[in-house]
Amino acid sequence: MIATDTSIYRLGEFHEFSGGGRRFLYLVPAGAIFEMDVAVAAAVEELSRGGATHEQLMARLVERGFPYEAAEELIGELLQARAIVTHDVVREPLEVPPADFPLQSLVMNLTNQCNLSCQYCYEFGEDKVATPSGKPKFMDIETARASVDFLLSQSPGRSAVHITFFGGETLMNFPLLKQVVGYATEQAAAQGRAIDFSLTTNATLLTPAIIEFLSENRIGVTVSMDGPPDLHDKLRVFANGQGSYAIIEPRVRALIQGHKTRPITARVTLTNGVTDVVRIFRHLKNDLGFHEVGFAPVTTSPDRLYAIGDQGMDGVLEQFHVLADEYLEYALRGEMHGFSNVSDTIAELYQGVNKSHPCGAGLGLMGVGPSGDIAPCHRFVDSDAHALGNIKTGGVDRAKQADFLNRGHINNKYDCHTCWARPLCAGGCHHEAFVRYGDTGHPNLHYCDWIRDWTDTCLRIYGTVSALNPGFLQYFAERKAL
Ligand code: SF4
Ligand code: SF4
Protein backbone atom coordinates (compact mmCIF):
# COMPACT_ATOMS: atom_id res chain seq x y z
CA MET A 1 0.00 0.00 0.00
CA ILE A 2 1.69 3.23 -1.11
CA ALA A 3 0.41 6.55 0.08
CA THR A 4 0.97 9.56 -2.14
CA ASP A 5 2.00 12.97 -0.73
CA THR A 6 -1.56 14.15 -0.98
CA SER A 7 -3.10 11.01 0.55
CA ILE A 8 -5.21 11.70 3.58
CA TYR A 9 -4.75 9.23 6.40
CA ARG A 10 -7.85 8.17 8.26
CA LEU A 11 -8.55 5.59 10.89
CA GLY A 12 -9.15 2.15 9.45
CA GLU A 13 -11.87 -0.22 10.48
CA PHE A 14 -11.25 -1.61 13.95
CA HIS A 15 -12.85 -2.37 17.27
CA GLU A 16 -10.99 -1.14 20.33
CA PHE A 17 -10.92 -3.19 23.51
CA SER A 18 -8.81 -3.56 26.59
CA GLY A 19 -7.66 -6.35 28.88
CA GLY A 20 -5.01 -6.92 31.51
CA GLY A 21 -4.29 -3.19 31.71
CA ARG A 22 -3.47 -2.97 27.98
CA ARG A 23 -5.36 -1.59 25.02
CA PHE A 24 -5.86 -3.45 21.75
CA LEU A 25 -7.28 -2.95 18.30
CA TYR A 26 -9.21 -5.72 16.59
CA LEU A 27 -8.40 -4.97 12.96
CA VAL A 28 -11.48 -5.92 11.02
CA PRO A 29 -10.25 -6.28 7.41
CA ALA A 30 -7.46 -8.57 8.61
CA GLY A 31 -9.24 -10.26 11.55
CA ALA A 32 -6.07 -9.55 13.56
CA ILE A 33 -5.34 -8.19 17.02
CA PHE A 34 -2.86 -5.36 17.41
CA GLU A 35 -1.63 -4.14 20.77
CA MET A 36 -2.00 -0.42 21.22
CA ASP A 37 1.16 0.85 22.88
CA VAL A 38 1.69 4.54 23.65
CA ALA A 39 2.81 5.33 20.10
CA VAL A 40 -0.12 3.55 18.42
CA ALA A 41 -2.53 5.18 20.85
CA ALA A 42 -1.07 8.59 19.99
CA ALA A 43 -1.48 8.03 16.25
CA VAL A 44 -5.05 6.78 16.72
CA GLU A 45 -5.87 9.74 18.94
CA GLU A 46 -4.48 12.21 16.40
CA LEU A 47 -6.46 10.70 13.54
CA SER A 48 -9.63 10.42 15.58
CA ARG A 49 -9.69 14.22 15.46
CA GLY A 50 -9.81 14.11 11.65
CA GLY A 51 -7.80 13.06 8.61
CA ALA A 52 -4.20 14.17 8.08
CA THR A 53 -1.58 14.00 5.36
CA HIS A 54 1.62 12.07 5.97
CA GLU A 55 3.49 15.28 6.76
CA GLN A 56 0.82 16.51 9.12
CA LEU A 57 0.65 13.22 11.04
CA MET A 58 4.44 13.06 11.23
CA ALA A 59 4.57 16.62 12.57
CA ARG A 60 1.96 15.86 15.22
CA LEU A 61 3.74 12.71 16.37
CA VAL A 62 7.13 14.42 16.51
CA GLU A 63 5.51 17.25 18.45
CA ARG A 64 4.30 14.63 20.96
CA GLY A 65 7.89 13.58 21.52
CA PHE A 66 8.34 10.62 19.18
CA PRO A 67 11.65 10.53 17.26
CA TYR A 68 11.25 11.12 13.52
CA GLU A 69 12.39 7.60 12.47
CA ALA A 70 10.13 5.94 15.03
CA ALA A 71 7.14 7.95 13.80
CA GLU A 72 7.89 6.96 10.17
CA GLU A 73 8.16 3.32 11.16
CA LEU A 74 4.94 3.48 13.18
CA ILE A 75 2.95 4.99 10.32
CA GLY A 76 4.31 2.30 8.00
CA GLU A 77 3.25 -0.44 10.41
CA LEU A 78 -0.20 1.03 10.92
CA LEU A 79 -0.72 1.33 7.19
CA GLN A 80 0.34 -2.24 6.68
CA ALA A 81 -2.00 -3.45 9.41
CA ARG A 82 -4.73 -1.23 7.92
CA ALA A 83 -5.26 0.43 11.29
CA ILE A 84 -4.92 3.60 9.24
CA VAL A 85 -5.95 3.88 5.61
CA THR A 86 -5.83 6.46 2.90
CA HIS A 87 -8.87 7.81 1.13
CA ASP A 88 -7.68 6.27 -2.12
CA VAL A 89 -7.63 2.73 -0.73
CA VAL A 90 -10.81 0.88 -1.53
CA ARG A 91 -12.18 -1.91 0.63
CA GLU A 92 -10.69 -5.17 -0.58
CA PRO A 93 -13.31 -7.91 -0.83
CA LEU A 94 -12.36 -11.29 0.59
CA GLU A 95 -11.51 -13.74 -2.14
CA VAL A 96 -14.04 -16.31 -3.27
CA PRO A 97 -12.63 -19.75 -2.37
CA PRO A 98 -11.83 -22.00 -5.36
CA ALA A 99 -14.49 -24.55 -6.32
CA ASP A 100 -12.06 -27.42 -5.67
CA PHE A 101 -11.25 -26.28 -2.12
CA PRO A 102 -9.99 -29.48 -0.43
CA LEU A 103 -12.28 -31.22 2.02
CA GLN A 104 -11.12 -31.55 5.61
CA SER A 105 -14.10 -33.07 7.37
CA LEU A 106 -16.98 -35.29 6.38
CA VAL A 107 -20.05 -35.61 8.59
CA MET A 108 -21.65 -38.99 7.98
CA ASN A 109 -25.29 -39.23 9.06
CA LEU A 110 -25.33 -43.00 9.58
CA THR A 111 -29.09 -43.01 10.03
CA ASN A 112 -31.93 -40.53 9.89
CA GLN A 113 -33.80 -42.51 12.60
CA CYS A 114 -33.86 -41.53 16.24
CA ASN A 115 -35.17 -43.20 19.39
CA LEU A 116 -35.99 -39.84 20.99
CA SER A 117 -38.57 -37.27 19.93
CA CYS A 118 -37.05 -33.99 21.03
CA GLN A 119 -39.59 -31.40 19.98
CA TYR A 120 -37.00 -28.85 18.89
CA CYS A 121 -35.02 -31.25 16.70
CA TYR A 122 -33.99 -29.61 13.42
CA GLU A 123 -34.30 -33.01 11.74
CA PHE A 124 -37.80 -33.95 12.88
CA GLY A 125 -39.29 -30.80 14.40
CA GLU A 126 -41.58 -28.21 12.88
CA ASP A 127 -38.74 -26.35 11.13
CA LYS A 128 -37.16 -29.38 9.53
CA VAL A 129 -35.64 -29.00 6.08
CA ALA A 130 -35.13 -32.75 5.49
CA THR A 131 -37.25 -34.59 2.94
CA PRO A 132 -36.40 -38.21 3.81
CA SER A 133 -39.47 -39.83 2.26
CA GLY A 134 -38.50 -42.73 -0.02
CA LYS A 135 -34.85 -42.61 1.03
CA PRO A 136 -32.99 -45.26 3.04
CA LYS A 137 -33.27 -44.91 6.81
CA PHE A 138 -29.85 -46.42 7.50
CA MET A 139 -26.64 -45.95 5.55
CA ASP A 140 -25.26 -49.18 4.10
CA ILE A 141 -21.63 -50.25 3.88
CA GLU A 142 -21.28 -49.47 0.14
CA THR A 143 -22.42 -45.89 0.67
CA ALA A 144 -20.21 -45.60 3.74
CA ARG A 145 -17.14 -46.86 1.88
CA ALA A 146 -17.89 -44.56 -1.04
CA SER A 147 -18.14 -41.69 1.47
CA VAL A 148 -14.72 -42.46 2.93
CA ASP A 149 -13.24 -42.73 -0.58
CA PHE A 150 -14.89 -39.42 -1.42
CA LEU A 151 -13.32 -37.72 1.61
CA LEU A 152 -9.87 -39.06 0.81
CA SER A 153 -10.08 -38.19 -2.88
CA GLN A 154 -11.48 -34.71 -2.25
CA SER A 155 -8.85 -33.69 0.29
CA PRO A 156 -5.64 -33.46 -1.73
CA GLY A 157 -2.76 -31.91 0.15
CA ARG A 158 -4.27 -32.50 3.59
CA SER A 159 -2.09 -34.68 5.81
CA ALA A 160 -4.96 -35.24 8.24
CA VAL A 161 -8.72 -35.53 7.70
CA HIS A 162 -11.67 -36.00 9.99
CA ILE A 163 -14.93 -37.95 10.05
CA THR A 164 -17.80 -37.03 12.37
CA PHE A 165 -20.57 -39.60 12.83
CA PHE A 166 -24.02 -38.17 13.19
CA GLY A 167 -27.70 -39.16 13.02
CA GLY A 168 -30.64 -39.31 13.75
CA GLU A 169 -29.21 -41.17 16.68
CA THR A 170 -25.75 -42.18 15.55
CA LEU A 171 -25.51 -45.28 17.74
CA MET A 172 -28.61 -46.81 16.13
CA ASN A 173 -26.16 -47.75 13.38
CA PHE A 174 -23.17 -48.63 15.55
CA PRO A 175 -22.24 -51.77 13.54
CA LEU A 176 -21.67 -49.54 10.51
CA LEU A 177 -19.70 -47.01 12.57
CA LYS A 178 -17.28 -49.78 13.58
CA GLN A 179 -16.83 -50.86 9.99
CA VAL A 180 -16.23 -47.31 8.83
CA VAL A 181 -13.57 -46.72 11.48
CA GLY A 182 -11.74 -49.86 10.33
CA TYR A 183 -12.03 -49.11 6.62
CA ALA A 184 -11.17 -45.41 6.87
CA THR A 185 -8.18 -46.03 9.13
CA GLU A 186 -6.84 -48.61 6.66
CA GLN A 187 -7.39 -46.43 3.60
CA ALA A 188 -5.87 -43.32 5.18
CA ALA A 189 -2.83 -45.29 6.43
CA ALA A 190 -2.31 -46.69 2.93
CA GLN A 191 -2.00 -43.10 1.73
CA GLY A 192 0.28 -42.14 4.62
CA ARG A 193 -2.35 -39.80 6.04
CA ALA A 194 -3.87 -39.38 9.47
CA ILE A 195 -7.59 -39.64 10.13
CA ASP A 196 -9.53 -39.09 13.31
CA PHE A 197 -13.14 -39.54 14.33
CA SER A 198 -15.80 -38.03 16.52
CA LEU A 199 -19.49 -38.63 17.06
CA THR A 200 -22.54 -36.95 18.46
CA THR A 201 -25.03 -39.04 20.42
CA ASN A 202 -28.00 -38.74 22.74
CA ALA A 203 -26.26 -41.35 24.96
CA THR A 204 -29.34 -43.58 25.36
CA LEU A 205 -27.69 -46.54 23.60
CA LEU A 206 -24.21 -46.38 25.12
CA THR A 207 -23.00 -49.74 26.47
CA PRO A 208 -19.73 -50.74 28.10
CA ALA A 209 -18.63 -52.40 24.85
CA ILE A 210 -19.38 -49.29 22.81
CA ILE A 211 -17.55 -47.10 25.32
CA GLU A 212 -14.55 -49.39 25.14
CA PHE A 213 -14.53 -49.22 21.35
CA LEU A 214 -14.80 -45.41 21.37
CA SER A 215 -11.96 -45.10 23.86
CA GLU A 216 -9.71 -47.61 22.09
CA ASN A 217 -10.16 -45.82 18.79
CA ARG A 218 -9.75 -42.32 20.23
CA ILE A 219 -13.19 -41.28 19.01
CA GLY A 220 -14.22 -37.87 20.35
CA VAL A 221 -17.73 -37.86 21.83
CA THR A 222 -20.26 -35.07 22.11
CA VAL A 223 -23.40 -35.85 24.09
CA SER A 224 -26.53 -33.82 23.42
CA MET A 225 -27.79 -33.08 26.91
CA ASP A 226 -29.68 -30.14 28.32
CA GLY A 227 -28.80 -30.16 32.03
CA PRO A 228 -30.27 -31.61 35.23
CA PRO A 229 -33.48 -33.71 35.00
CA ASP A 230 -35.99 -30.87 35.42
CA LEU A 231 -34.47 -29.05 32.41
CA HIS A 232 -33.24 -31.95 30.30
CA ASP A 233 -36.58 -33.76 30.42
CA LYS A 234 -38.61 -30.76 29.25
CA LEU A 235 -37.95 -31.48 25.59
CA ARG A 236 -35.50 -34.40 25.33
CA VAL A 237 -38.16 -37.10 25.54
CA PHE A 238 -39.06 -40.49 24.09
CA ALA A 239 -42.03 -40.81 21.75
CA ASN A 240 -44.31 -41.54 24.76
CA GLY A 241 -43.29 -38.23 26.34
CA GLN A 242 -41.10 -39.79 29.00
CA GLY A 243 -37.90 -37.85 29.73
CA SER A 244 -34.57 -39.42 28.83
CA TYR A 245 -32.44 -38.15 31.73
CA ALA A 246 -32.79 -41.23 33.93
CA ILE A 247 -31.76 -43.49 31.05
CA ILE A 248 -28.71 -41.50 30.02
CA GLU A 249 -27.32 -40.40 33.38
CA PRO A 250 -25.63 -43.72 34.30
CA ARG A 251 -24.47 -44.16 30.71
CA VAL A 252 -22.91 -40.71 30.62
CA ARG A 253 -21.13 -41.40 33.91
CA ALA A 254 -19.80 -44.69 32.51
CA LEU A 255 -18.68 -42.92 29.34
CA ILE A 256 -16.77 -40.25 31.22
CA GLN A 257 -15.31 -42.87 33.54
CA GLY A 258 -14.35 -45.33 30.81
CA HIS A 259 -13.33 -43.15 27.85
CA LYS A 260 -9.98 -41.67 28.69
CA THR A 261 -8.43 -40.97 25.33
CA ARG A 262 -10.37 -37.86 24.26
CA PRO A 263 -12.25 -35.13 26.12
CA ILE A 264 -16.01 -35.73 26.41
CA THR A 265 -18.19 -32.75 25.58
CA ALA A 266 -21.81 -31.90 26.34
CA ARG A 267 -23.76 -29.84 23.87
CA VAL A 268 -26.74 -28.01 25.30
CA THR A 269 -29.61 -26.64 23.25
CA LEU A 270 -31.11 -23.63 24.98
CA THR A 271 -34.87 -23.21 24.60
CA ASN A 272 -37.63 -21.20 26.21
CA GLY A 273 -37.50 -22.22 29.89
CA VAL A 274 -34.14 -23.96 29.49
CA THR A 275 -31.89 -20.92 29.77
CA ASP A 276 -30.39 -21.42 33.22
CA VAL A 277 -26.90 -21.55 31.75
CA VAL A 278 -24.91 -21.43 34.98
CA ARG A 279 -26.94 -24.16 36.69
CA ILE A 280 -26.77 -26.35 33.59
CA PHE A 281 -23.02 -25.83 33.33
CA ARG A 282 -22.46 -26.68 37.00
CA HIS A 283 -24.48 -29.88 36.69
CA LEU A 284 -22.84 -31.12 33.52
CA LYS A 285 -19.30 -30.08 34.43
CA ASN A 286 -19.17 -30.63 38.18
CA ASP A 287 -21.83 -33.26 38.92
CA LEU A 288 -21.42 -35.42 35.83
CA GLY A 289 -17.79 -34.62 34.97
CA PHE A 290 -17.93 -33.53 31.30
CA HIS A 291 -14.64 -31.96 30.23
CA GLU A 292 -16.35 -29.27 28.20
CA VAL A 293 -19.85 -27.86 27.88
CA GLY A 294 -21.04 -25.80 24.92
CA PHE A 295 -24.36 -23.99 24.54
CA ALA A 296 -26.37 -23.05 21.48
CA PRO A 297 -29.78 -21.38 21.38
CA VAL A 298 -32.30 -23.49 19.49
CA THR A 299 -32.53 -22.83 15.77
CA THR A 300 -36.16 -22.13 15.02
CA SER A 301 -38.74 -19.66 13.79
CA PRO A 302 -39.36 -16.99 16.43
CA ASP A 303 -43.03 -17.97 16.88
CA ARG A 304 -42.40 -21.52 18.15
CA LEU A 305 -43.24 -22.14 21.80
CA TYR A 306 -39.71 -23.28 22.57
CA ALA A 307 -38.07 -20.29 20.84
CA ILE A 308 -36.16 -17.96 23.16
CA GLY A 309 -37.37 -14.38 22.97
CA ASP A 310 -35.17 -11.26 23.15
CA GLN A 311 -35.52 -11.09 26.92
CA GLY A 312 -34.51 -14.72 27.25
CA MET A 313 -31.46 -14.11 25.07
CA ASP A 314 -30.46 -11.17 27.27
CA GLY A 315 -30.64 -13.48 30.27
CA VAL A 316 -28.51 -16.05 28.44
CA LEU A 317 -25.91 -13.38 27.72
CA GLU A 318 -25.81 -12.34 31.38
CA GLN A 319 -25.14 -15.91 32.40
CA PHE A 320 -22.56 -16.34 29.65
CA HIS A 321 -20.77 -13.38 31.25
CA VAL A 322 -20.74 -15.12 34.63
CA LEU A 323 -19.08 -18.19 33.12
CA ALA A 324 -16.77 -16.02 30.99
CA ASP A 325 -15.48 -14.27 34.14
CA GLU A 326 -14.83 -17.63 35.72
CA TYR A 327 -13.14 -18.81 32.54
CA LEU A 328 -10.76 -15.89 32.73
CA GLU A 329 -9.85 -16.65 36.35
CA TYR A 330 -9.06 -20.23 35.36
CA ALA A 331 -7.06 -19.15 32.30
CA LEU A 332 -4.92 -16.80 34.36
CA ARG A 333 -4.06 -19.77 36.58
CA GLY A 334 -3.28 -21.81 33.44
CA GLU A 335 -6.32 -24.06 33.89
CA MET A 336 -9.02 -25.05 31.41
CA HIS A 337 -12.47 -24.05 32.62
CA GLY A 338 -14.59 -26.09 30.23
CA PHE A 339 -16.96 -23.44 28.83
CA SER A 340 -16.43 -24.20 25.18
CA ASN A 341 -18.25 -21.13 23.86
CA VAL A 342 -15.24 -19.11 25.05
CA SER A 343 -12.62 -21.65 23.99
CA ASP A 344 -14.01 -21.88 20.44
CA THR A 345 -13.87 -18.10 19.98
CA ILE A 346 -10.44 -17.75 21.59
CA ALA A 347 -9.16 -20.43 19.20
CA GLU A 348 -10.48 -18.47 16.22
CA LEU A 349 -8.90 -15.27 17.50
CA TYR A 350 -5.60 -17.01 18.16
CA GLN A 351 -5.61 -18.49 14.67
CA GLY A 352 -6.39 -15.08 13.16
CA VAL A 353 -9.54 -16.35 11.49
CA ASN A 354 -11.03 -13.96 8.94
CA LYS A 355 -14.02 -15.72 7.47
CA SER A 356 -15.43 -15.45 4.01
CA HIS A 357 -18.15 -17.86 5.21
CA PRO A 358 -19.56 -18.46 8.68
CA CYS A 359 -18.33 -22.07 8.82
CA GLY A 360 -16.82 -24.75 6.65
CA ALA A 361 -20.18 -26.00 5.33
CA GLY A 362 -19.96 -26.77 1.61
CA LEU A 363 -16.28 -25.86 1.64
CA GLY A 364 -13.87 -27.84 3.89
CA LEU A 365 -16.80 -29.70 5.42
CA MET A 366 -19.68 -31.61 3.88
CA GLY A 367 -22.39 -33.91 5.12
CA VAL A 368 -23.53 -37.18 3.59
CA GLY A 369 -26.82 -38.90 4.35
CA PRO A 370 -27.91 -42.54 4.34
CA SER A 371 -28.87 -42.24 0.66
CA GLY A 372 -25.42 -40.95 -0.27
CA ASP A 373 -26.78 -37.48 -0.92
CA ILE A 374 -24.14 -34.84 -0.25
CA ALA A 375 -25.21 -31.79 1.75
CA PRO A 376 -23.40 -28.62 2.84
CA CYS A 377 -23.39 -29.99 6.42
CA HIS A 378 -25.19 -32.48 8.68
CA ARG A 379 -28.15 -30.14 9.19
CA PHE A 380 -29.02 -30.15 5.49
CA VAL A 381 -28.67 -33.90 5.02
CA ASP A 382 -31.68 -35.54 3.32
CA SER A 383 -32.96 -32.18 2.07
CA ASP A 384 -33.58 -32.34 -1.68
CA ALA A 385 -33.55 -28.56 -1.92
CA HIS A 386 -30.02 -28.37 -0.51
CA ALA A 387 -28.41 -31.52 -1.93
CA LEU A 388 -25.08 -30.81 -3.61
CA GLY A 389 -24.88 -34.16 -5.40
CA ASN A 390 -24.58 -37.82 -4.50
CA ILE A 391 -21.60 -39.87 -3.33
CA LYS A 392 -22.41 -42.75 -5.67
CA THR A 393 -23.57 -40.87 -8.74
CA GLY A 394 -21.02 -38.28 -9.71
CA GLY A 395 -20.04 -36.59 -6.45
CA VAL A 396 -20.43 -32.87 -5.95
CA ASP A 397 -22.42 -30.81 -8.43
CA ARG A 398 -19.99 -27.89 -8.67
CA ALA A 399 -22.64 -25.46 -9.94
CA LYS A 400 -24.87 -26.11 -6.91
CA GLN A 401 -21.90 -25.87 -4.58
CA ALA A 402 -20.83 -22.57 -6.14
CA ASP A 403 -24.35 -21.20 -5.79
CA PHE A 404 -24.48 -22.15 -2.10
CA LEU A 405 -21.05 -20.67 -1.45
CA ASN A 406 -21.68 -17.47 -3.40
CA ARG A 407 -24.89 -16.76 -1.55
CA GLY A 408 -23.21 -17.40 1.80
CA HIS A 409 -20.12 -15.31 1.05
CA ILE A 410 -19.62 -12.28 3.26
CA ASN A 411 -19.14 -10.10 0.16
CA ASN A 412 -22.80 -10.69 -0.63
CA LYS A 413 -24.10 -9.92 2.86
CA TYR A 414 -24.35 -6.15 2.57
CA ASP A 415 -25.74 -5.67 6.08
CA CYS A 416 -22.52 -7.16 7.49
CA HIS A 417 -20.12 -4.88 5.62
CA THR A 418 -20.04 -2.25 8.35
CA CYS A 419 -20.00 -4.72 11.25
CA TRP A 420 -16.73 -5.15 13.16
CA ALA A 421 -17.67 -8.71 14.22
CA ARG A 422 -17.81 -10.02 10.65
CA PRO A 423 -14.36 -11.73 10.57
CA LEU A 424 -15.74 -14.25 13.10
CA CYS A 425 -19.49 -14.18 12.48
CA ALA A 426 -19.64 -13.77 8.71
CA GLY A 427 -23.42 -13.62 8.91
CA GLY A 428 -23.96 -16.72 11.06
CA CYS A 429 -25.11 -20.28 10.39
CA HIS A 430 -26.49 -21.00 6.88
CA HIS A 431 -29.03 -23.42 8.32
CA GLU A 432 -30.33 -20.91 10.84
CA ALA A 433 -30.55 -18.34 8.05
CA PHE A 434 -32.65 -20.72 5.99
CA VAL A 435 -34.99 -21.49 8.90
CA ARG A 436 -35.35 -17.80 9.80
CA TYR A 437 -35.28 -16.10 6.41
CA GLY A 438 -35.76 -18.86 3.83
CA ASP A 439 -32.33 -18.19 2.32
CA THR A 440 -29.05 -19.79 3.40
CA GLY A 441 -27.24 -16.62 2.32
CA HIS A 442 -29.23 -14.22 4.48
CA PRO A 443 -27.30 -12.75 7.41
CA ASN A 444 -28.76 -13.70 10.79
CA LEU A 445 -29.62 -10.13 11.68
CA HIS A 446 -31.85 -11.11 14.61
CA TYR A 447 -28.89 -11.53 16.97
CA CYS A 448 -26.24 -9.00 15.89
CA ASP A 449 -26.10 -7.05 19.17
CA TRP A 450 -25.82 -10.33 21.03
CA ILE A 451 -22.98 -11.55 18.79
CA ARG A 452 -21.08 -8.27 19.06
CA ASP A 453 -21.39 -8.24 22.84
CA TRP A 454 -20.19 -11.83 23.09
CA THR A 455 -17.33 -11.27 20.64
CA ASP A 456 -16.21 -8.23 22.63
CA THR A 457 -16.29 -10.33 25.82
CA CYS A 458 -14.08 -12.97 24.21
CA LEU A 459 -11.72 -10.30 22.87
CA ARG A 460 -11.32 -8.90 26.37
CA ILE A 461 -10.56 -12.36 27.73
CA TYR A 462 -8.06 -12.86 24.92
CA GLY A 463 -6.41 -9.50 25.59
CA THR A 464 -6.19 -10.11 29.34
CA VAL A 465 -4.73 -13.58 28.91
CA SER A 466 -2.25 -12.41 26.28
CA ALA A 467 -1.10 -9.67 28.66
CA LEU A 468 -0.94 -11.71 31.87
CA ASN A 469 -0.51 -15.38 30.95
CA PRO A 470 0.34 -15.61 27.22
CA GLY A 471 1.54 -19.23 27.43
CA PHE A 472 -2.08 -20.32 27.97
CA LEU A 473 -2.95 -19.36 24.41
CA GLN A 474 -0.75 -22.17 23.06
CA TYR A 475 -3.64 -24.54 23.82
CA PHE A 476 -5.54 -22.99 20.95
CA ALA A 477 -3.05 -23.51 18.14
CA GLU A 478 -4.82 -26.63 16.90
CA ARG A 479 -8.33 -26.42 18.29
CA LYS A 480 -11.18 -26.68 15.82
CA ALA A 481 -14.90 -26.32 16.44
CA LEU A 482 -17.52 -28.18 14.39
S1 SF4 B 1 -24.92 -11.17 11.07
FE1 SF4 B 1 -24.85 -9.33 12.34
S2 SF4 B 1 -23.20 -9.73 13.85
FE2 SF4 B 1 -22.93 -11.16 12.18
S3 SF4 B 1 -21.48 -10.16 10.78
FE3 SF4 B 1 -23.54 -9.69 10.06
S4 SF4 B 1 -24.07 -7.72 10.96
FE4 SF4 B 1 -22.33 -8.59 12.14
S1 SF4 C 1 -22.82 -23.36 11.46
FE1 SF4 C 1 -24.75 -24.05 10.57
S2 SF4 C 1 -24.33 -24.33 8.38
FE2 SF4 C 1 -22.38 -24.27 9.47
S3 SF4 C 1 -21.86 -26.41 9.92
FE3 SF4 C 1 -22.93 -25.60 11.71
S4 SF4 C 1 -25.08 -26.12 11.39
FE4 SF4 C 1 -24.04 -26.33 9.40
Side-chain angles (χ1 to χ4, degrees):
M1 191 180 310
I2 297 163
T4 62
D5 288 348
T6 54
S7 294
I8 302 290
Y9 293 148
R10 297 185 196 288
L11 290 177
E13 195 186 359
F14 56 74
H15 173 69
E16 191 181 331
F17 66 98
S18 55
R22 299 193 193 167
R23 293 167 71 195
F24 299 88
L25 300 177
Y26 180 53
L27 301 167
V28 179
I33 293 170
F34 200 83
E35 188 174 342
M36 208 162 44
D37 58 14
V38 181
V40 176
V44 168
E45 203 181 297
E46 288 300 337
L47 288 180
S48 64
R49 297 200 188 110
T53 63
H54 183 81
E55 291 313 318
Q56 287 167 333
L57 183 57
M58 281 293 295
R60 289 188 211 165
L61 290 172
V62 169
E63 203 175 304
R64 290 175 75 134
F66 296 102
Y68 191 86
E69 293 74 26
E72 274 285 8
E73 203 178 316
L74 172 67
I75 293 175
E77 272 175 28
L78 291 174
L79 278 168
Q80 199 174 11
R82 286 185 274 174
I84 60 178
V85 294
T86 58
H87 67 294
D88 43 24
V89 172
V90 290
R91 190 175 158 270
E92 294 162 32
L94 289 177
E95 280 178 21
V96 177
D100 56 355
F101 191 86
L103 259 189
Q104 172 115 58
S105 300
L106 190 67
V107 187
M108 295 176 65
N109 287 39
L110 300 183
T111 175
N112 53 30
Q113 300 298 290
C114 189
N115 56 343
L116 292 185
S117 297
C118 310
Q119 290 169 31
Y120 57 64
C121 179
Y122 59 78
E123 233 173 321
F124 299 100
E126 294 149 314
D127 296 303
K128 70 173 181 161
V129 300
T131 43
S133 170
K135 295 176 193 164
K137 294 180 167 51
F138 292 88
M139 187 180 281
D140 60 24
I141 184 64
E142 287 74 33
T143 308
R145 283 202 175 134
S147 302
V148 173
D149 297 344
F150 170 78
L151 170 62
L152 291 172
S153 69
Q154 299 297 309
S155 52
R158 302 246 193 228
S159 57
V161 289
H162 182 85
I163 290 177
T164 296
F165 299 109
F166 224 88
E169 170 42 37
T170 315
L171 294 180
M172 285 178 75
N173 204 354
F174 182 66
L176 183 69
L177 185 154
K178 276 174 89 169
Q179 286 177 285
V180 173
V181 170
Y183 178 73
T185 304
E186 216 176 83
Q187 294 302 309
Q191 296 183 13
R193 302 162 78 189
I195 187 160
D196 80 329
F197 307 92
S198 62
L199 72 90
T200 294
T201 177
N202 63 25
T204 52
L205 301 174
L206 281 171
T207 62
I210 291 177
I211 293 168
E212 195 183 328
F213 178 85
L214 298 175
S215 185
E216 266 176 14
N217 290 281
R218 298 195 73 255
I219 299 177
V221 183
T222 297
V223 177
S224 303
M225 191 167 182
D226 291 352
D230 60 310
L231 299 178
H232 179 89
D233 285 344
K234 278 194 179 196
L235 296 170
R236 296 196 66 82
V237 294
F238 290 93
N240 64 5
Q242 185 203 332
S244 58
Y245 185 93
I247 300 287
I248 71 169
E249 192 240 16
R251 291 169 170 79
V252 164
R253 286 189 190 277
L255 173 72
I256 294 168
Q257 177 77 25
H259 189 333
K260 293 293 181 201
T261 56
R262 293 278 291 271
I264 311 294
T265 303
R267 191 193 187 276
V268 180
T269 301
L270 297 170
T271 47
N272 183 19
V274 184
T275 51
D276 201 345
V277 173
V278 175
R279 182 157 75 94
I280 295 169
F281 182 84
R282 301 263 184 265
H283 180 70
L284 298 177
K285 182 77 179 37
N286 304 343
D287 300 344
L288 294 184
F290 279 102
H291 302 109
E292 294 216 10
V293 183
F295 296 82
V298 66
T299 298
T300 182
S301 320
D303 48 347
R304 303 281 180 236
L305 286 178
Y306 46 81
I308 309 177
D310 288 348
Q311 241 180 331
M313 285 301 286
D314 289 349
V316 167
L317 192 56
E318 261 172 48
Q319 298 204 34
F320 268 35
H321 283 159
V322 173
L323 293 182
D325 289 347
E326 257 179 38
Y327 186 105
L328 179 57
E329 286 169 24
Y330 273 59
L332 294 180
R333 294 199 299 265
E335 292 169 28
M336 275 295 177
H337 173 264
F339 183 27
S340 54
N341 295 66
V342 175
S343 291
D344 291 344
T345 307
I346 297 282
E348 292 187 329
L349 291 170
Y350 183 80
Q351 293 163 16
V353 159
N354 188 11
K355 297 179 184 173
S356 60
H357 294 82
C359 60
L363 205 52
L365 176 146
M366 289 192 196
V368 57
S371 65
D373 278 354
I374 302 166
C377 80
H378 52 292
R379 287 205 179 191
F380 292 107
V381 158
D382 272 346
S383 163
D384 290 338
H386 299 97
L388 299 180
N390 186 283
I391 288 287
K392 295 177 287 187
T393 56
V396 176
D397 179 328
R398 296 294 176 195
K400 285 186 178 170
Q401 181 191 19
D403 177 57
F404 174 82
L405 291 175
N406 284 337
R407 274 183 299 115
H409 197 290
I410 190 70
N411 289 354
N412 299 324
K413 295 176 177 170
Y414 301 105
D415 295 288
C416 303
H417 288 183
T418 52
C419 173
W420 65 261
R422 70 178 184 276
L424 295 182
C425 173
C429 171
H430 303 284
H431 173 261
E432 180 158 11
F434 185 78
V435 170
R436 279 268 177 166
Y437 306 98
D439 175 3
T440 56
H442 198 292
N444 284 286
L445 300 173
H446 53 284
Y447 62 11
C448 298
D449 290 342
W450 201 102
I451 289 290
R452 282 189 284 262
D453 184 303
W454 181 242
T455 308
D456 178 68
T457 302
C458 293
L459 280 167
R460 283 186 285 111
I461 293 174
Y462 186 95
T464 307
V465 174
S466 69
L468 303 178
N469 187 16
F472 180 78
L473 296 174
Q474 289 301 325
Y475 284 121
F476 300 99
E478 302 275 319
R479 185 188 172 101
K480 296 256 178 302
L482 175 64

